[in-house]
Amino acid sequence: MQIIVLKESFADEIRVALVPESVKKLVAAGNKVLVETGAGESAGATDTDYEQAGAEISSAQEELLQKADVLLAINRPADASLSKLKKSTIVVALLRPLDEPEKLQAFIENDLTAISLEMIPRTTRAQAMDILSSMATIAGYKAVLLGCEKLPRMLPMMTTAAGTIPPAKVLIVGAGVAGLQAIATARRLGAVVEGFDIRAAAGEAVRSLGAKFLELENVNAEGEGGYAKEVGEEIMESARELLRKAAANTDCIITTAQIPGRRAPILITGEAVEAMKRGSTIIDLAGANGGNCELSKPNEIVNHNGIFIYAPTNLAATIPVHASQLFSRNVTAFCNLLATGGALNLDFSDDILNGSCVVHQGEIRNERIKEIFNTK
Ligand code: NAD
């Protein structure tokens, strides 16, 4: 199959879907890989690196689009690019089908097949393809660096000739993949860390990283596939109150709480922000889905009474080399499901392909997405 990779079209997106090490593997497996000129330049991969790995480089984007059997991308390609693909071309990317189902229209209109990498089931067999975990790991790490860099204090306890400096306190809200990485990073930097999650099972993981687990008694909102499920307003009120009290005693809060396909829950209220000391920081990783902090504004720095609040929606892209490397390895593992001996072969009896293929030859084939698409 002919796999193409373009320079990403979203503003500020400097990752690339395939890095040269993966090109080598895909070519060895019998595929042809074509890469747009300069596609990897901000992610540490030059055109020469791609050529040496066996890819063909071209600056003729339209020609590339017409040649593709498979278009690999980080984000949903521009509608203008989708309209130039051949019918039935397979587009593999992070498509946000639960959050922006209306954007699937271009795949339907152009009779394309859309694979949403977010929809890959979180099973043991699919672990090598788990892009959400790869990107969440990077975002969790970077969130701590951002939040702590803005603090007017250091993280670790220091005993000096001028006396002892107490450690900073960091609170992580949502202990999934990003949250656990944030806890580990803040601990390594010497902070005293607390973690909160609505899933009781997260407690063990939080404690194993040396952090204290803040718990709501008798609450366990574990839903399908290990994800959290929505809880009633009474439980949410208790969670906000618990976090408001913790916030007053915290220097940096990192929030990561999400429920797939829903607005992110508001957990840090304006009142909780106002309870924090001046100079404290909040990094909200749920910004793309509305944010966990009531005062967050996606991609804008908010200064509320001296509290720094920032909700970057694409933090993984700020570490483009490693983010591209992990994305590329994950997507390459996925490509093995699309072909046998280098020839395209979509086998929908495979649960990973079945779960992630949201549009097939212009038809929405995932019942949940069909329902959301029709009601939007
Ligand atoms: P996510 O990004 O959907 O959510 C982040 C965290 O927010 C989750 O831990 C969730 O419980 C929490 N959350 C949601 N609502 C909340 C609320 N109101 N208050 C507090 N916390 C709230 O989750 P994720 O990081 O993608 O991980 C989801 C699950 O999948 C986890 O159980 C994780 O361990 C599991 N997982 C499994 C695999 C695998 O088996 N291959 C891989 C990765 C993740």
Side-chain angles (χ1 to χ4, degrees), residues 1-61:
M1 62 189 177
Q2 306 227 65
I3 299 172
I4 71 157
V5 176
L6 303 180
K7 214 174 160 74
E8 290 289 314
S9 60
F10 275 27
D12 300 329
E13 182 54 82
I14 50 175
R15 292 170 293 177
V16 64
L18 269 191
V19 299
E21 78 171 34
S22 307
V23 168
K24 231 183 236 173
K25 287 192 180 148
L26 288 166
V27 171
N31 304 292
K32 190 163 180 195
V33 180
L34 301 106
V35 178
E36 185 178 7
T37 311
E41 72 188 3
S42 306
T46 64
D47 293 347
T48 313
D49 295 336
Y50 282 110
E51 275 169 339
Q52 284 172 353
E56 198 177 291
I57 295 285
S58 167
S59 56
Q61 197 190 89

Side-chain angles (χ1 to χ4, degrees), residues 150-331:
K150 290 285 174 214
L151 282 180
R153 52 181 65 238
M154 295 188 285
L155 256 66
M157 182 176 97
M158 291 216 188
T159 307
T160 77
T164 300
I165 289 174
K169 292 195 174 152
V170 176
L171 167 64
I172 313 291
V173 179
V177 181
L180 292 176
Q181 182 56 237
I183 292 174
T185 305
R187 288 282 300 138
R188 273 185 219 123
L189 291 171
V192 168
V193 184
E194 292 182 326
F196 171 71
D197 202 290
I198 206 86
R199 290 179 300 113
E204 201 183 322
V206 168
R207 283 188 285 263
S208 76
L209 290 169
K212 180 178 168 196
F213 187 55
L214 301 180
E215 203 162 356
L216 279 181
E217 264 178 47
N218 303 322
V219 173
N220 181 14
E222 180 119 9
E224 236 174 83
Y227 284 106
K229 60 181 183 204
E230 256 179 334
V231 292
E233 197 39 38
E234 204 177 312
I235 294 178
M236 283 304 294
E237 267 311 314
S238 319
R240 288 183 199 114
E241 181 54 16
L242 179 79
L243 293 170
R244 187 187 63 76
K245 286 188 184 143
N249 205 17
T250 298
D251 298 296
C252 168
I253 301 180
I254 312 285
T255 67
T256 73
Q258 312 242 27
I259 296 169
R262 301 262 186 278
R263 191 212 181 281
I266 296 271
L267 287 156
I268 305 294
T269 57
E271 205 188 329
V273 175
E274 280 162 13
M276 295 177 84
K277 293 187 287 281
R278 277 186 85 80
S280 301
T281 59
I282 299 174
I283 305 293
D284 186 349
L285 291 188
N289 292 319
N292 292 139
C293 173
E294 197 175 15
L295 306 181
S296 292
K297 293 192 179 142
N299 296 318
E300 267 182 50
I301 291 173
V302 174
N303 179 338
H304 186 81
N305 296 346
I307 314 292
F308 172 93
I309 307 169
Y310 184 40
T313 58
N314 194 8
L315 202 48
T318 64
I319 304 193
V321 171
H322 283 149
S324 303
Q325 220 170 65
L326 296 182
F327 188 103
S328 173
R329 288 177 190 167
N330 292 145
V331 86

